[in-house]
C-alpha cells in the first residue's frame, strides 16, 4: 500500500516513514498541507496520516480536500 505522512515535525515524519517502510509500505512525506496537496494531485494513496495542527492550512481542511479528491483514501488524524 501507499501511505502519505503529513506532519510539520520532521522527527515524527521520518520516524513514521522508517517504521512503515520496514513493514513494506511505500511511504511519501509532506511537511505541510501545501506539499501534501501537490503530492495528492499526482499520486493516489491508500492511507494518509495527517497532523491536525500545522501552520497554514490545518489538518481538518486537508481532510476535506483529500475526501473531495480521493474519497476512497482512508485518513488518520493525529495530534499531540
Amino acid at each position: 500500500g501507499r501511505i502519505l505522512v503529513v506532519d510539520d515535525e520532521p522527527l515524527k515524519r521520518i520516524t513514521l516513514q522508517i517504521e512503515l517502510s520496514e513493514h513494506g509500505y511505500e511511504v511519501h512525506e509532506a511537511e505541510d498541507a501545501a506539499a501534501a496537496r501537490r503530492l495528492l494531485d499526482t499520486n493516489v494513496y491508500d492511507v494518509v496520516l495527517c497532523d491536525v495542527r500545522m501552520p497554514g492550512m490545518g489538518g481538518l481542511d486537508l481532510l476535506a480536500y483529500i475526501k473531495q479528491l480521493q474519497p476512497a483514501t482512508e485518513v488518520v488524524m493525529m495530534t499531540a
Side-chain angles (χ1 to χ4, degrees):
R2 184 180 283 178
I3 298 175
L4 174 60
V5 177
V6 186
D7 199 307
D8 59 320
E9 294 187 34
L11 185 58
K12 285 185 186 176
R13 278 197 326 271
I14 292 166
T15 301
L16 285 168
Q17 191 274 334
I18 291 168
E19 291 292 326
L20 293 167
S21 293
E22 287 177 353
H23 289 284
Y25 295 99
E26 178 184 344
V27 182
H28 296 177
E29 57 180 271
E31 68 275 3
D32 58 25
R37 286 177 65 149
R38 288 190 294 274
L39 288 168
L40 287 157
D41 288 342
T42 57
N43 297 281
V44 175
Y45 294 97
D46 299 300
V47 177
V48 175
L49 302 175
C50 182
D51 190 11
V52 172
R53 294 177 21 182
M54 295 181 289
M57 175 189 275
L60 294 178
D61 292 325
L62 182 59
L63 170 63
Y65 181 82
I66 294 166
K67 286 304 181 179
Q68 188 174 47
L69 187 66
Q70 299 183 23
T73 298
E74 297 294 334
V75 180
V76 177
M77 303 301 294
M78 307 177 295
T79 188

